[in-house]
Amino acid sequence: MKFCQLKHLIIALLLYQISFGQEVYQGVFKRYNSLELGGGSANYIGDLVPWKAFPTMGPKTAGFNVRVGLNRYYTQKFSGKFSYQLSQLTADDNEYIANGKFGGNFIRNLHFQNYVHELSAQGAYHFQKTRSNILKRQRIRTQLHGGLSLMFHTPFARPMVSLASNSPQHKNWQNLAAVNTEGTDYSRFIVAIPLGFSLQVKLSDQFDLGLSSTVHVTFSDYLDDVSDKRNNMSVNPQSDFFDRSLEPFGANTLRNRIPILPNENGSFSQKGNDLFISTQIQLIYHIRRGNTFNQLNN
């Protein structure tokens, strides 16, 4: 190798070492923050939509979610995620086929809607090393995240339709937690464990496009106001929301259920606590530390 070529190689290696080495000067990662705003779909899994029915019922019962969050990058491999998320969860037995495999669920005729407010603190593991200098971050990055959430939720349902006119009419949504449908006074504050995966694509010096999917495993069986024991329990006095199998119309869909034919399949429920899956598209803004236009090696 000619001396001139060797000189150029050594200079190139030195410049790379300077650029990369200063990211962790004296072993200290230069921490920074990013903000994110996202939204997408929310799919509930529980007594009205068990896992076995999810492939067909998932698209029919999808709600929405919106999220705002702060990310704090602590090391090249780990960051913290702090966020607020609003998720709309919904399901309706009237979406099942009356004479199908889940005909028992159709006869059961339950429905609900729940707006879940969630504050979460999560940790994220980055598969690619994070650079202190946001201008030099990788084009595509992936991460796993998980943590703890505190949720506040209120399930709602509509009473039986009004038949005062020639056609069925909706009635206003009613708070099911106040109705005490199953005779159980459950808490509307619950703890959950969010677990997920995300992909981030660099758009510009400070902006990324993110794709994220998270499973929110809750410690409650009442996101839908229905427990695993509903089919085998009795309540006295019984509210109008407990047994809705004889209502002629779907209270939310206004679907005509007459004639209500017996189905050999009993209603399917999801054993255990309720959960939901949120899928998001996110816009991520990386906050520069001071004038980072002049800190290209930081």
Side-chain angles (χ1 to χ4, degrees):
M1 181 180 292
K2 295 182 179 180
F3 176 79
C4 184
Q5 293 175 322
L6 179 61
K7 181 179 68 174
H8 288 162
L9 178 61
I10 292 174
I11 291 173
L13 289 173
L14 286 174
L15 289 174
Y16 174 79
Q17 286 292 89
I18 292 172
S19 174
F20 182 79
Q22 293 215 6
E23 283 193 74
V24 190
Y25 178 69
Q26 294 182 345
V28 178
F29 177 80
K30 295 186 178 181
R31 301 173 180 178
Y32 70 96
N33 303 320
S34 68
L35 300 174
E36 63 182 57
L37 177 66
S41 64
N43 289 97
Y44 145 89
I45 303 292
D47 294 286
L48 273 67
V49 183
W51 276 114
K52 60 183 68 178
F54 182 73
T56 56
M57 290 295 288
K60 296 179 181 179
T61 60
F64 70 86
N65 76 77
V66 291
R67 179 175 181 271
V68 59
L70 169 70
N71 301 314
R72 176 68 169 169
Y73 298 86
Y74 292 107
T75 72
Q76 290 183 322
K77 284 288 193 175
F78 294 96
S79 64
K81 301 170 71 71
F82 310 93
S83 66
Y84 165 77
Q85 179 170 314
L86 172 65
S87 302
Q88 180 206 37
L89 308 180
T90 180
D92 196 320
D93 283 341
N94 272 262
E95 297 292 347
Y96 289 104
I97 300 174
N99 59 353
K101 177 181 178 181
F102 297 96
N105 295 58
F106 176 82
I107 292 175
R108 183 177 60 180
N109 191 36
L110 298 178
H111 73 277
F112 85 100
Q113 180 173 267
N114 198 337
Y115 290 91
V116 180
H117 302 265
E118 178 180 9
L119 291 174
S120 70
Q122 302 181 54
Y125 172 79
H126 302 258
F127 290 100
Q128 297 78 27
K129 287 185 177 181
T130 302
R131 307 290 294 270
S132 286
N133 179 7
I134 63 173
L135 302 180
K136 296 184 178 181
R137 67 189 186 280
Q138 294 89 336
R139 176 69 60 180
I140 298 176
R141 304 178 307 283
T142 54
Q143 63 179 240
L144 290 175
H145 53 87
L148 285 174
S149 295
L150 177 64
M151 297 179 176
F152 178 77
H153 75 106
T154 306
F156 286 83
R158 294 186 187 273
M160 188 172 72
V161 299
S162 171
L163 299 174
S165 61
N166 293 330
S167 60
Q169 301 294 320
H170 281 140
K171 288 186 178 180
N172 293 333
W173 293 93
Q174 189 163 340
N175 182 346
L176 294 175
V179 172
N180 202 7
T181 313
E182 295 187 355
T184 301
D185 185 16
Y186 54 83
S187 175
R188 293 160 65 189
F189 287 96
I190 57 176
V191 176
I193 299 176
L195 299 169
F197 174 83
S198 63
L199 169 72
Q200 297 177 0
V201 179
K202 183 179 178 181
L203 296 178
S204 65
D205 286 348
Q206 288 183 268
F207 286 96
D208 289 343
L209 178 69
L211 300 174
S212 177
S213 182
T214 305
V215 179
H216 306 255
V217 183
T218 77
F219 290 89
S220 173
D221 195 21
Y222 284 101
L223 286 180
D224 47 19
D225 193 60
V226 182
S227 72
D228 300 341
K229 302 175 183 179
R230 174 67 70 90
N231 292 343
N232 301 311
M233 70 186 306
S234 60
V235 177
N236 190 18
Q238 190 178 105
S239 80
D240 294 337
F241 295 92
F242 184 83
D243 182 359
R244 312 194 66 169
S245 60
L246 298 180
E247 293 182 17
F249 294 92
N252 190 39
T253 64
L254 300 181
R255 180 177 177 181
N256 191 335
R257 294 164 37 82
I258 301 171
I260 303 174
L261 300 176
N263 190 292
E264 63 181 8
N265 297 317
S267 61
F268 291 87
S269 294
Q270 179 69 31
K271 300 300 181 183
N273 293 330
D274 300 327
L275 58 90
F276 64 95
I277 302 169
S278 61
T279 304
Q280 294 181 345
I281 297 177
Q282 303 163 339
L283 183 64
I284 303 164
Y285 172 74
H286 294 270
I287 302 174
R288 293 187 171 111
R289 302 185 317 277
N291 184 10
T292 51
F293 280 115
N294 299 323
Q295 297 176 359
L296 297 182
N297 292 323
N298 290 340

